[in-house]
Amino acid sequence: MTGFGITHNPGRGTFRRLQVLRAWCLTPHMRRVVLSGPELAGFAFYRQGLGPYVKLLVPPANFKDPGWPRFDAAGAIEGPVAERPVVRTYTVRDFDEALQELTIDFVLHGDDGPASRWAIRAEPGDSIALLERGFSQPHGVDRYLFIGDHTALPAIAQSLESLPDDSKGQAVICLHDAADKQPLRAPPGLSLTWLIDEGPIGFAAVMQAVQQPLTAQGEHIFLWVGAEASLARSLRAYAKNELGLPRDQHSILNYWRQGFAEGAFERSG
Ligand SMILES: Cc1cc2nc3c(=O)[nH]c(=O)nc-3n(C[C@H](O)[C@H](O)[C@H](O)COP(=O)(O)OP(=O)(O)OC[C@H]3O[C@@H](n4cnc5c(N)ncnc54)[C@H](O)[C@@H]3O)c2cc1C
């Protein structure tokens, strides 16, 4: 692909039922779950895309083998199922095509979220399902700036691994606990900055951590953000109003919103 731009692939994809193969805690608040099963056959993993994500259908608690739903023509879940699974968005941290293993890293934020609750207890043999969704792939980028919190760490890690070796830029990763840092493989020209604070990490702290101004003339900058909605909102306003970054030079998503379950808030508003 030549020229500058961004490819989005938000396809609806295929419904696949999978089983947990292995699960363990990478760090105190991040649990890795490796999924497998015959229905993974044909799974399309866009390794070169930034933060490929899927929609997980997380079964209700205590359903080891849920009665999975059917879907109507518009993609909505059709009943009846005794207790519906909830739909949650997660990054494909890795996909091993040869072994047919798909890896997802879950932030453990407590039992108030069905996905976090499921992940804490996940053990081999448990069922879950997914719908393939998408990824974004910018082209012709001179310099990347990734900004994300704990939930975006899987996407940033996957993106840094997938970028060409000569890629340049910075990744700013905000965590509440230094013990949740992970070793990341990044191109040599892409620096990593960890911001650690027990409290919320706001726009000012993030901007202070950015090493090079974003307004460099003649450079094609790509700004990637995955964060709690309030930080994402500030960065979206900054990108639009202060930097005037065109739409194809940023991807800024509300990865979650304080006090709201997924589905109860807009991703990009
Ligand atoms: C494209 C994309 C990719 C994502 N990839 C990942 C990923 O790889 N790993 C990952 O862990 N998350 C990821 N997320 C974020 C994840 O979808 C949300 O955190 C989701 O809300 C978790 O669902 P839940 O059922 O645990 O909680 P919900 O039922 O959605 O929320 C319940 C309560 O928990 C709060 N909450 C939700 N998430 C958090 C959190 N991280 N910390 C503190 N409180 C929280 C909510 O504000 C709410 O009050 C991704 C989001 C997007 C949009």
Side-chain angles (χ1 to χ4, degrees):
M1 181 72 69
T2 55
F4 191 75
I6 180 167
T7 304
H8 286 281
N9 175 357
R12 198 173 94 220
T14 308
F15 173 65
R16 300 168 193 273
R17 289 162 298 181
L18 304 176
Q19 286 77 44
V20 174
L21 207 56
R22 301 183 288 283
W24 70 98
C25 287
L26 287 179
T27 62
H29 303 98
M30 182 73 87
R31 187 155 167 89
R32 174 158 291 178
V33 179
V34 179
L35 302 168
S36 194
E39 293 188 13
L40 253 190
F43 178 78
F45 180 48
Y46 298 95
R47 192 173 291 283
Q48 72 282 23
L50 302 184
Y53 60 94
V54 288
K55 294 286 178 185
L56 289 180
L57 278 78
V58 181
N62 305 323
F63 272 60
K64 286 291 172 191
D65 191 12
W68 289 112
R70 299 177 302 278
F71 295 89
D72 67 19
I77 293 178
E78 268 186 345
V81 282
E83 280 188 69
R84 292 176 179 219
V86 297
V87 180
R88 295 288 182 265
T89 312
Y90 279 83
T91 303
V92 179
R93 175 64 184 85
D94 198 13
F95 176 59
D96 186 322
E97 200 169 353
L99 293 176
Q100 289 286 290
E101 293 181 4
L102 186 148
T103 300
I104 301 209
D105 289 349
F106 292 80
V107 170
L108 304 177
H109 62 84
D111 269 0
D112 54 344
S116 173
R117 187 168 60 229
W118 180 87
I120 288 170
R121 293 167 178 79
E123 52 183 45
D126 286 358
S127 296
I128 194 162
L130 62 79
L131 289 164
E132 280 158 64
R133 274 294 155 146
F135 64 98
S136 58
Q137 188 181 12
H139 314 288
V141 177
D142 296 318
R143 182 154 61 92
Y144 292 88
L145 178 59
F146 293 91
I147 297 172
D149 65 15
H150 204 184
T151 59
L153 182 50
I156 293 175
Q158 178 280 333
S159 299
L160 299 184
E161 285 171 10
S162 71
L163 288 176
D165 269 357
D166 59 355
S167 303
K168 294 188 176 42
Q170 186 187 5
V172 179
I173 302 161
C174 311
L175 297 177
H176 294 310
D177 184 345
D180 284 313
K181 282 166 79 170
Q182 293 177 19
L184 301 185
R185 247 184 314 127
L190 218 144
S191 65
L192 297 178
T193 307
W194 298 92
L195 280 184
I196 315 285
D197 197 316
E198 281 176 20
I201 298 177
F203 175 75
V206 169
M207 281 297 116
Q208 251 182 10
V210 174
Q211 287 155 353
Q212 265 185 285
L214 279 169
T215 48
Q217 292 297 315
E219 257 192 326
H220 279 138
I221 291 166
F222 190 79
L223 173 63
W224 186 100
V225 177
E228 199 280 325
S230 55
L231 177 58
R233 191 184 318 116
S234 305
L235 287 163
R236 201 174 293 115
Y238 178 71
K240 194 172 157 204
N241 305 331
E242 304 277 325
L243 301 176
L245 275 188
R247 183 63 199 91
D248 59 2
Q249 281 187 251
H250 61 81
S251 168
I252 304 176
L253 285 183
N254 303 331
Y255 262 37
W256 61 286
R257 185 169 169 196
Q258 189 72 53
F260 291 80
E262 176 165 347
F265 65 93
E266 291 295 319
R267 282 294 182 208
S268 55

